[in-house]
Amino acid sequence: MTDTRIAAPMLGGWGAARRRAKAARDAEFTAFVEATGVRLRRSAYLMCRDWHLAQDLTQHTFARMYAAWERIRNGTNLDAYSRRVLMNAVFDQQRRRSGSEIVLADLPDRADRASPATSELRLALVDALARLTVKDRAVLVLRHAEDHSVETVAAILGLSVSAVKMRDSRALSRLRALLGEDFPDR
Amino acid sequence: MQRNLRDHFEAAVSDDPGFALDGMAQAAIVEGSRLRRRHGWLAPVGVAAGLIAVIGAVTAPRLLADAPKSADSPVTVAAAMMPVTAPSCWREPVDRDATDVVIYLTDVTGEQLSLLRELLHGDPGLAALAFESREEAYSKFRTRWATNPDLLAAVTVTDFPAAFRLRLQPGTDFPTVRARYENAAGVDRIVGRRCATDAPVGGVQ
């Protein structure tokens, strides 16, 4: 690398170096997307109950991360960072759409479309999640679908550890009340 | 038992349709570069600040480096003519789950236009309907690019399409709406957007 820079004329050398740096950055970023995209999209889905919207939210999250990549690629907990960007996108979307209720369509609509035999329980959980507040839902998804520690969840959502614990136990009991006996105690 | 709860969440995402990820990185690179050009480093900082505070792994963030660039300047006339997505909508048009729709017209006759208007007025799937003439579209363009004489000189009123702007009733299926009108006489193309309820009808400014 040093050789080329010395050998090439000043401007050409800079241009080539910058192109190489961009190519390396893009490759690193692409590897990150491929390694984490599925998990992130699934969490997005649990938040919004819509795979297409989940795809949009994930895409948006990665675009924001690419815009900040130089700054965050070293030393930042990328996993937690991506969750924070995602959750903020979900919260924004929710605020913009209605101000109060869940991000997406009405519940009955979804239930009708399901084929009950295979997906009853699955839908039950996703629909029950949708009945919680968006913050409570975020706590459950991060804590139980993603297995983050209480401390990490608190960092991602900008809440205190005790607030996360409180929301978690409150949301779990709501979930249990909605799902009845199908749902494990803990 | 904790394990059991985890399994429930795993099962809940078991119908993941598995959209391809390889295009996603590329699209994020394109969109992310655009974001960075538009906002400098300012935009992502708000998102990151809290994390940095708690996780504390990052050295001093470049809070104010690279001030945001001034007004957007389009690369081509065609880009300048593109309608501006309203701020409370998703930035890119969507293929499904649209809340707002614009139907762009080609050289439509008066008769085709009133037929189309009648159809739209009678459509129970619509919550709101507005019409924008090409004169109105042209005048918006002139206002927007008032400081750019080259652009103003490059186009005339006939370069702009007239359009119907629709807001769908909640629950109205966008692909159905699109299929209903895309082959009607005088319709050029149909663009759906996903917007908050406070967006202008059609999702464009």
Side-chain angles (χ1 to χ4, degrees):
Chain A
M1 200 152 104
T2 334
D3 290 347
T4 343
R5 204 176 289 170
I6 292 164
M10 186 63 152
L11 283 173
W14 272 107
R18 283 186 57 178
R19 272 196 301 281
R20 270 199 305 276
K22 174 162 169 34
R25 185 178 63 213
D26 288 1
E28 182 184 72
F29 177 77
T30 302
F32 171 75
V33 169
E34 282 169 1
T36 62
V38 169
R39 190 68 259 173
L40 192 63
R41 184 175 62 212
R42 289 182 176 177
S43 294
Y45 170 75
L46 290 172
M47 293 302 294
C48 70
R49 272 194 318 167
D50 177 320
W51 283 110
H52 284 270
L53 181 56
Q55 176 84 356
D56 287 350
L57 289 164
T58 309
Q59 179 78 62
H60 169 86
T61 299
F62 283 132
R64 293 291 294 260
M65 291 187 76
Y66 184 79
W69 193 248
E70 289 296 333
R71 187 166 46 75
I72 63 178
R73 56 188 285 264
N74 289 317
T76 304
N77 178 341
L78 290 175
D79 204 39
Y81 186 98
S82 62
R83 268 58 187 179
R84 186 175 174 99
V85 179
L86 173 72
M87 290 305 176
N88 280 342
V90 171
F91 299 157
D92 278 357
Q93 173 72 356
Q94 158 121 350
R95 256 196 302 276
R96 286 189 308 179
R97 275 201 71 78
S98 63
S100 62
E101 247 313 283
I102 49 170
V103 177
L104 270 188
D106 299 327
L107 292 171
D109 178 35
R110 285 292 155 134
D112 291 348
R113 250 187 274 163
S115 59
T118 55
S119 54
E120 202 168 319
L121 200 67
R122 178 179 66 70
L123 273 181
L125 177 57
V126 177
D127 287 345
L129 279 175
R131 288 171 184 260
L132 306 177
T133 68
V134 69
K135 278 263 166 69
D136 283 358
R137 191 153 73 235
V139 168
L140 289 185
V141 168
L142 293 170
R143 183 83 184 90
H144 302 292
E146 298 209 348
D147 247 355
H148 287 298
S149 68
V150 172
E151 290 72 21
T152 308
V153 176
I156 291 171
L157 296 176
L159 297 169
S160 69
V161 166
S162 60
V164 170
K165 285 181 179 162
M166 196 197 70
R167 275 181 186 274
D168 184 38
S169 82
R170 189 181 60 192
L172 275 178
S173 39
R174 272 231 59 207
L175 215 50
R176 225 167 278 132
L178 286 165
L179 293 171
E181 296 184 355
D182 290 336
F183 201 67
D185 277 345
R186 207 149 236 291
Chain B
M1 280 314 247
Q2 187 74 29
R3 181 73 227 154
N4 210 341
L5 186 52
R6 185 86 209 286
D7 289 346
H8 266 67
F9 279 98
E10 277 303 318
V13 294
S14 61
D15 69 333
D16 187 339
F19 301 108
L21 283 173
D22 46 354
M24 185 180 265
Q26 196 49 47
I29 287 171
V30 171
E31 176 67 11
S33 305
R34 217 162 64 86
L35 281 177
R36 192 171 44 184
R37 275 198 303 277
R38 180 161 356 128
H39 299 299
W41 288 109
L42 287 175
V45 164
V47 165
L51 266 196
I52 292 164
V54 185
I55 294 172
V58 172
T59 51
R62 301 168 58 198
L63 277 172
L64 289 168
D66 304 341
K69 303 290 180 289
S70 58
D72 44 344
S73 51
V75 197
T76 62
V77 176
M81 288 174 66
M82 294 287 278
V84 185
T85 303
S88 51
C89 301
W90 285 79
R91 196 170 290 117
E92 302 298 331
V94 294
D95 285 332
R96 28 167 293 165
D97 299 327
T99 59
D100 288 77
V101 178
V102 182
I103 301 179
Y104 292 98
L105 307 175
T106 53
D107 294 319
V108 66
T109 66
E111 197 177 334
Q112 287 167 343
L113 188 62
S114 41
L115 184 63
L116 202 50
R117 196 188 297 266
E118 214 168 290
L119 280 175
L120 288 164
H121 268 299
D123 191 329
L126 306 189
L129 175 65
F131 178 75
E132 184 178 74
S133 66
R134 46 174 41 150
E135 287 77 15
E136 284 162 329
Y138 179 56
S139 131
K140 275 183 196 166
F141 174 88
R142 292 192 63 89
T143 312
R144 180 165 170 227
W145 300 110
T147 56
N148 193 329
D150 293 341
L151 277 175
L152 295 184
V155 294
T156 65
V157 63
T158 51
D159 295 324
F160 288 85
F164 282 107
R165 297 169 170 212
L166 334 174
R167 162 139 317 137
L168 305 183
Q169 292 279 11
T172 299
D173 180 50
F174 169 53
T176 311
V177 171
R178 188 174 46 204
R180 191 176 301 143
Y181 296 104
E182 67 189 348
N183 294 318
V187 170
D188 178 23
R189 62 200 174 90
I190 298 182
V191 179
R193 285 185 171 80
R194 215 182 153 79
C195 303
T197 45
D198 62 351
V201 171
V204 288
Q205 289 174 332

